[in-house]
Amino acid sequence: MSQLSWVLLGYRKAGTRPKAKRLHMLILTAFFLLFLAASAPSQAQQIREIRVAAAADLQPVLPVLAADYEKATGVKIAISFGSSGTLATQIINGAPIDLFLGADFVFPEKIVAAGLADSSAPTQYAKGTLVLWARKDSPLQPITLDTLVDKRVTSVAIANDQRAPYGRAAVMALQRMKMYDTVKPHLVIGENISQAAQFVQSGNAQLGFISLTAASTPQFKDSGTYVLVPKQTYAPILQCAVVMAKSEQKAAAHAFLDWILSPAVQARLPQMGLGPVR
């Protein structure tokens, strides 16, 4: 029975006939209560979906984890992928996001500096690894890092180093290996690490600096091979996250991030191409 029905029934049982003005106010109050009840979402509705902006290197990883989380909790993870720099800019410009999973510390820190995060520092959730990849049918096989300066090389895919942490790592690695000047004329720039991987996997580039997350997928394992880029040649790729201060789903977003940081999930990351936090 509705709140309005209960209120009116109470007057009938009491055998009273409220004055018109009083009855009018009573009806307005009852309808106002009904309006609040109808317009206020339930707790289940509030956490039905979390909006996550995720770095492109997570494209092979996060949908799998999100599906497992939804199965376990009933909470849907709605994911938008892109370069960390592009996503950070969108968030600063007002994009409605609950959780930002970046590919480094720098771009999540920009969210903190803008006063948009609900914490004073980003939370690291994984470590990234850079690899050099080529198709199995490439005449450059078997590839090594020295293949980068092979005279037959005319195209090397790389993510935009201004927006994508993996692109920045690749440029740094080339510079420290004293290969940048030779390779620079052959660079094919992707918007993010996922696009760089598409370039080389499709044959539009002969070699590509891609994430180990992409190289670890069945598609890339079946069609190509990779070599690890020495980690001492680029700054550690510390993948960090922030929850938005104005999110209406802060508790749910933190719960999902805590789940990613749980020992069980962290133990799964290496098989997906990511390093655990500890």
Side-chain angles (χ1 to χ4, degrees):
M1 184 178 292
S2 70
Q3 289 172 306
L4 177 60
S5 299
W6 276 112
V7 171
L8 296 179
L9 181 60
Y11 274 99
R12 293 192 187 101
K13 286 184 176 180
T16 60
R17 291 178 57 87
K19 294 181 179 179
K21 184 176 181 181
R22 185 179 177 189
L23 179 60
H24 178 69
M25 291 301 298
L26 178 65
I27 293 174
L28 286 179
T29 300
F31 273 115
F32 178 70
L33 291 173
L34 287 173
F35 172 78
L36 289 179
S39 61
S42 68
Q43 184 67 15
Q45 290 174 322
Q46 288 178 346
I47 62 171
R48 185 176 296 169
E49 180 176 279
I50 304 170
R51 297 162 299 184
V52 178
D57 76 297
L58 297 175
Q59 205 155 347
V61 176
L62 197 54
V64 176
L65 296 180
D68 290 346
Y69 190 75
E70 182 177 358
K71 184 177 180 181
T73 66
V75 177
K76 180 177 176 57
I77 310 299
I79 311 168
S80 300
F81 290 107
S83 66
S84 294
T86 298
L87 293 173
T89 299
Q90 291 172 351
I91 292 170
I92 291 172
N93 288 335
I97 295 298
D98 301 308
L99 174 65
F100 175 37
L101 296 172
D104 69 351
F105 176 86
V106 174
F107 290 110
E109 172 58 27
K110 288 186 176 182
I111 304 299
V112 174
L116 299 176
D118 79 336
S119 58
S120 59
T123 299
Q124 186 184 345
Y125 64 89
K127 299 175 185 176
T129 299
L130 184 68
V131 305
L132 181 67
W133 190 93
R135 289 169 58 108
K136 288 180 178 178
D137 58 6
S138 170
L140 299 171
Q141 289 286 3
I143 63 167
T144 68
L145 293 174
D146 289 334
T147 306
L148 285 162
V149 292
D150 189 304
K151 293 185 182 300
R152 295 173 294 172
V153 173
T154 59
S155 56
V156 179
I158 188 175
N160 187 323
D161 64 304
Q162 298 301 310
R163 299 193 184 110
Y166 281 86
R168 189 190 317 127
V171 168
M172 185 180 297
L174 285 169
Q175 291 171 337
R176 290 185 177 177
M177 293 188 294
K178 310 298 184 185
M179 295 179 177
Y180 184 72
D181 291 340
T182 301
V183 178
K184 183 179 178 181
H186 309 313
L187 293 179
V188 179
I189 310 299
E191 171 64 21
N192 52 56
I193 196 64
S194 178
Q195 189 174 72
Q198 291 171 6
F199 285 162
V200 67
Q201 201 276 334
S202 66
N204 290 318
Q206 295 165 294
L207 299 169
F209 285 99
I210 70 173
S211 65
L212 185 56
T213 55
S216 298
T217 62
Q219 178 185 8
F220 279 80
K221 282 183 176 179
D222 291 343
S223 61
T225 65
Y226 68 87
V227 292
L228 295 172
V229 177
K231 291 199 172 182
Q232 64 268 25
T233 64
Y234 59 93
I237 302 175
L238 306 179
Q239 306 207 190
C240 294
V242 285
V243 173
M244 300 302 106
K246 293 184 178 180
S247 167
E248 296 180 356
Q249 312 292 349
K250 280 195 290 187
H254 275 293
F256 180 56
L257 181 56
D258 288 344
W259 181 78
I260 292 175
L261 291 168
S262 68
V265 176
Q266 289 285 302
R268 295 174 59 187
L269 295 185
Q271 68 191 45
M272 298 179 171
L274 289 172
V277 173
R278 297 179 184 84

